[in-house]
Amino acid sequence: AQSVAQPEDQVNVAEGNPLTVKCTYSVSGNPYLFWYVQYPNRGLQFLLKYITGDNLVKGSYGFEAEFNKSQTSFHLKKPSALVSDSALYFCAISGNTPLVFGKGTRLSVIA
Amino acid sequence: GAVVSQHPSRVICKSGTSVKIECRSLDFQATTMFWYRQFPKQSLMLMATSNEGSKATYEQGVEKDKFLINHASLTLSTLTVTSAHPEDSSFYICSARVRVGGASDTQYFGPGTRLTVL
């Protein structure tokens, strides 16, 4: 079975500082990993995905994620956080099944 | 990017009535659509997967007679909550993907429908 874990319920960061939202995964075979963002009372917006190739994936709104096979991680990063980045972030994995989501991490960027 | 719409965005109904939620892929053909349910401050729970022209596949614990899913075309899927009860109140989100079995393909999500059953 495949799964992802987001160990932090909440991440707080000051505006302008770098941010990291953590995700680890478990899968047999090659993983397809995704990051989505959800704003209040809205659906999910796709940020980026890792399929194969370069371990550093660049996505929307300045976000990027690093795939680390040895640590089975896919952490989401941004060099300089904005207040508008405050939202709920989901890591997800797919394989033989539809997307399986982590529990989500709430990011708060403080001005 | 690909756009998925949902209608209505919000619905309030009386207990015992049925509610239909529409999900449309606006600028691509979705051979596969998914329906999720999200409780407050929780993650998304997959309810069912539907491939165009086929019967939906429901996840364990989801009542197929209560949550009727129809995927009649490559751009439209509907979820009907039959005989709704207050415990069905939730945020329902649909998702669409281009290919059947395209595990590496991106799933695009609709904006969600907030259902409140009184």
Side-chain angles (χ1 to χ4, degrees):
Chain A
Q2 56 198 24
S3 65
V4 290
Q6 294 181 244
E8 303 157 316
D9 291 335
Q10 174 92 32
V11 170
N12 298 319
V13 64
E15 186 176 31
N17 283 3
L19 69 86
T20 298
V21 183
K22 296 180 180 177
C23 173
T24 58
Y25 68 90
S26 175
V27 67
S28 56
N30 294 321
Y32 302 128
L33 294 159
F34 300 77
W35 275 102
Y36 287 84
V37 59
Q38 185 180 32
Y39 295 98
N41 296 310
R42 301 298 301 275
L44 275 65
Q45 295 181 28
F46 170 71
L47 285 178
L48 50 81
K49 67 180 178 182
Y50 172 82
I51 304 301
T52 186
D54 194 348
N55 289 342
L56 185 63
V57 180
K58 294 189 181 296
S60 305
Y61 313 119
F63 284 94
E64 59 188 27
E66 186 170 10
F67 173 70
N68 188 316
K69 188 172 184 177
S70 62
Q71 297 184 5
T72 61
S73 67
F74 189 56
H75 301 332
L76 181 70
K77 300 181 179 183
K78 187 173 182 180
S80 179
L82 300 173
V83 172
S84 57
D85 293 329
S86 298
L88 187 57
Y89 289 81
F90 289 100
C91 181
I93 190 169
S94 75
N96 294 325
T97 62
L99 283 177
V100 174
F101 287 89
K103 64 179 181 178
T105 298
R106 186 162 300 281
L107 173 67
S108 291
V109 181
I110 304 163
Chain B
V3 180
V4 177
S5 70
Q6 265 182 257
H7 178 78
S9 59
R10 184 181 296 266
V11 58
I12 300 172
C13 69
K14 293 182 179 180
S15 184
T17 61
S18 295
V19 174
K20 179 184 284 189
I21 303 170
E22 290 188 349
C23 176
R24 295 180 183 272
S25 57
L26 298 185
D27 52 3
F28 68 101
Q29 293 186 324
T31 55
T32 304
M33 286 187 170
F34 309 90
W35 287 94
Y36 291 83
R37 184 172 178 177
Q38 185 179 30
F39 292 100
K41 301 186 186 299
Q42 293 190 28
S43 189
L44 281 72
M45 180 191 78
L46 179 66
M47 299 174 65
T49 301
S50 71
N51 295 319
E52 187 265 338
S54 302
K55 289 185 177 180
T57 301
Y58 290 81
E59 296 299 302
Q60 191 172 10
V62 178
E63 299 175 58
K64 63 179 182 180
D65 293 331
K66 180 167 188 62
F67 298 99
L68 301 179
I69 292 172
N70 184 285
H71 189 171
S73 79
L74 287 173
T75 59
L76 174 65
S77 176
T78 60
L79 168 67
T80 301
V81 183
T82 62
S83 186
H85 288 93
E87 58 266 28
D88 299 323
S89 299
S90 191
F91 193 54
Y92 292 88
I93 307 175
C94 73
S95 172
R97 188 172 72 187
V98 173
R99 295 186 296 168
V100 175
S104 63
D105 292 353
T106 301
Q107 281 184 223
Y108 295 98
F109 287 79
T113 297
R114 173 78 56 194
L115 171 63
T116 302
V117 184
L118 303 176

